[in-house]
Amino acid sequence: MSKPALMRHMPQIAHVDVNCFYASAERAFDPSLEGRPVIVLSNNDGCAVTRSPEAKALGIGMGDPWFKLAPRAKEWGLVALSSNYELYGDISARVMELLGRYSAWLEVYSIDEAFLGVKGTPAELAAMGRSMKAAVRRNVGVPVCVGIAPTKTLAKLANKWAKNNKAFAGVCHWDSVPAAERQALLGRLSVEEVWGIAGRLTRRLNVMGIFTIADLVRADPVAIRDKFNVVMMRTVLELQGTPCIPMEEERIGRDQLIFSRSFAKPITTAAGIRQVMSVYGQQASARLAKHGLQAKVLTAFAGTSHFNPNDTSYPSVCVPLPMPTADPVILTKAGHALLPRIVAGVRYARAGIMVTDLRPTGNQAPLSLFENPHEERHIGTLLEDVTRRYGRGSIGLGHGGIRSGPDWTMKRDMLSPRYTTHWDELPLVKAA
């Protein structure tokens, strides 16, 4: 078999990432934002979670609080927007659906990035990358970069290189770059640039004399495993070109589900927290039912704001459930175990629940004495179906059955229209 034919049959991995996803999604429907500094704020318009390149050039950092940026926003020409999750979710779905046309081997890694299994010669793969980039821009309206390499870790690195080097025009096929240039890049980049390596791990590697990615590539994988763990060993092997991180059909938090949000208006009563726990218990039940999971442990928690020096209270409670369950009534009652720990008059700024020890539904048949009637009647599935069809807040159990939005719902004062998911907010196009 010739070398081109051999390479065509060798699997490669493409990593596709939307540039500044939230800001790009906003620009797709508002061209006036192009070229202007744009930031998208976190829940309750708290801090910057997405910054356009122009905003980064102003020195705005990730997590900078809005109340500190607001006084200079007009001077900078800075545009701040509330998180438009409905829009971002729909744009993400459109991007992933389009990418799925290029490969049956698609892993949606996050809201703005995906891995694809691809095959072909270097020229064919580079052409495929350019085609994906152009198709997403043309059909969805957001810019992406594409990195293609033999492993996931190298594909992420190739994507980052494509994003930061204009010579690639947004598409980098790792093996098409001369070896000398690849080695020079690895020798310049800190080991912290590697996917999955954070600050603490970087410091431990530095103690071993590993400062750059090139240093890590030259390391002995077995010695790295003995010093760290198998996960770190896989990272080294991936950097050396050996695939060790498999593609996943679906990334769901199999170990835990968390429902938590800060409030637009602080809650000062146990009754208010009871409502929060009821809503989150219902949402947890629906999500577990959707993925065919049950939980054995529920943790409920609340907390005051770090910016409030007068109130300091962070109550929490861990509730072992009598058996693995997705029953909304049982989950809600478990969340209510937090209420005796709520201090009246304290301004709670955040609360939530976490369900853990997840396992597939039906993995353990319950004794008839412990059967949950709500699960037998598929109440959790019903809640999920009604919510998906008619929207969140359209149905609920007990204190979670809210007809109008509670006063603790998320603050979004600078919300743009939900152009693709709400009929009364569809964009209007006028032809001259």
Side-chain angles (χ1 to χ4, degrees):
M1 185 179 293
S2 65
K3 185 175 180 180
L6 179 64
M7 295 184 70
R8 184 176 287 107
H9 288 83
M10 293 176 63
Q12 297 266 297
I13 294 176
H15 176 249
V16 184
D17 181 32
V18 182
N19 303 338
C20 302
F21 177 58
Y22 289 178
S24 295
E26 299 284 358
R27 284 173 166 174
F29 291 93
D30 187 354
S32 69
L33 298 177
E34 291 288 348
R36 300 173 64 186
V38 177
I39 61 171
V40 176
L41 303 173
S42 62
N43 292 346
N44 294 313
D45 296 340
C47 59
V49 293
T50 293
R51 303 156 296 153
S52 69
E54 298 81 3
K56 294 177 183 178
L58 291 173
I60 297 174
M62 179 67 74
D64 283 357
W66 170 239
F67 72 86
K68 290 185 177 180
L69 300 173
R72 302 194 63 184
K74 186 175 181 180
E75 172 190 347
W76 289 335
L78 178 65
V79 179
L81 297 168
S82 301
S83 293
N84 192 337
Y85 297 117
E86 297 91 336
L87 175 65
Y88 308 151
D90 188 64
I91 293 295
S92 174
R94 293 167 188 256
V95 171
M96 301 310 166
E97 190 277 331
L98 187 56
L99 293 178
R101 302 178 189 180
Y102 290 85
S103 174
W105 193 14
L106 172 70
E107 175 189 335
V108 179
Y109 185 72
S110 68
I111 192 172
D112 62 344
E113 58 182 320
F115 292 102
L116 295 86
V118 293
K119 290 184 179 181
T121 64
E124 291 170 344
L125 291 174
M128 181 186 297
R130 291 190 293 270
S131 176
M132 287 190 288
K133 181 177 183 294
V136 173
R137 183 63 167 175
R138 180 178 62 253
N139 295 303
V140 185
V142 294
V144 302
C145 285
V146 183
I148 304 174
T151 71
K152 278 186 171 181
T153 304
L154 286 176
K156 290 270 287 187
L157 196 57
N159 189 303
K160 185 176 294 187
W161 201 1
K163 188 173 297 184
N164 296 315
N165 190 326
K166 293 183 179 180
F168 289 112
V171 178
C172 174
H173 181 252
W174 185 258
D175 289 336
S176 296
V177 180
E181 292 186 23
R182 297 201 305 265
Q183 289 303 314
L185 173 71
L186 298 180
R188 293 194 306 268
L189 292 179
S190 165
V191 70
E192 194 171 9
E193 298 291 334
V194 177
W195 179 34
I197 295 183
R200 181 179 300 179
L201 193 54
T202 298
R203 290 189 291 272
R204 291 182 62 190
L205 290 168
N206 291 165
V207 171
M208 298 176 59
I210 298 175
F211 295 93
T212 68
I213 299 179
D215 295 333
L216 188 58
V217 171
R218 290 191 291 266
D220 179 6
V222 176
I224 291 293
R225 180 200 63 192
D226 294 341
K227 186 70 175 179
F228 297 91
N229 50 41
V230 173
V231 175
M232 192 65 194
M233 175 184 176
R234 291 172 181 165
T235 297
V236 175
L237 290 171
E238 288 248 322
L239 288 171
Q240 293 174 350
T242 302
C244 297
I245 305 176
M247 297 283 285
E248 302 176 10
E249 291 184 1
E250 185 176 13
R251 295 189 76 254
I252 304 171
R254 294 293 181 182
D255 298 326
Q256 63 182 24
L257 285 173
I258 300 176
F259 297 84
S260 174
R261 183 167 292 170
S262 53
F263 309 137
K265 180 180 179 182
I267 294 178
T268 59
T269 65
I273 296 296
R274 179 187 291 112
Q275 188 182 59
V276 176
M277 293 296 109
S278 300
V279 171
Y280 287 158
Q282 169 187 318
Q283 292 179 1
S285 172
R287 185 71 60 83
L288 289 169
K290 176 181 179 181
H291 295 299
L293 296 172
Q294 295 177 320
K296 190 66 173 63
V297 178
L298 182 144
T299 301
F301 55 90
T304 53
S305 171
H306 296 294
F307 297 102
N308 182 1
N310 299 319
D311 291 331
T312 303
S313 179
Y314 300 96
S316 66
V317 60
C318 182
V319 182
L321 303 173
M323 59 178 295
T325 182
D327 187 328
V329 174
I330 292 178
L331 295 177
T332 298
K333 288 182 177 179
H336 289 176
L338 179 69
L339 301 181
R341 306 190 182 197
I342 298 299
V343 181
V346 170
R347 295 167 60 84
Y348 290 99
R350 188 178 187 87
I353 67 170
M354 175 174 65
V355 289
T356 55
D357 194 1
L358 306 187
R359 55 197 69 185
T361 299
N363 198 37
Q364 178 180 343
L367 298 174
S368 58
L369 179 64
F370 298 103
E371 289 180 348
N372 299 322
H374 303 97
E375 288 186 300
E376 291 180 356
R377 299 170 186 171
H378 307 289
I379 299 299
T381 303
L382 173 64
L383 294 175
E384 170 66 18
D385 292 343
V386 173
T387 299
R388 183 171 58 251
R389 182 170 182 178
Y390 296 105
R392 194 168 300 282
S394 57
I395 189 172
L397 301 175
H399 292 277
I402 304 169
R403 285 192 166 276
S404 59
D407 58 6
W408 50 265
T409 51
M410 186 169 53
K411 173 184 177 183
R412 294 193 287 181
D413 290 339
M414 295 169 280
L415 183 67
S416 58
R418 295 160 293 185
Y419 298 102
T420 62
T421 59
H422 287 65
W423 285 107
D424 57 346
E425 298 179 24
L426 291 177
L428 298 177
V429 179
K430 298 180 181 180

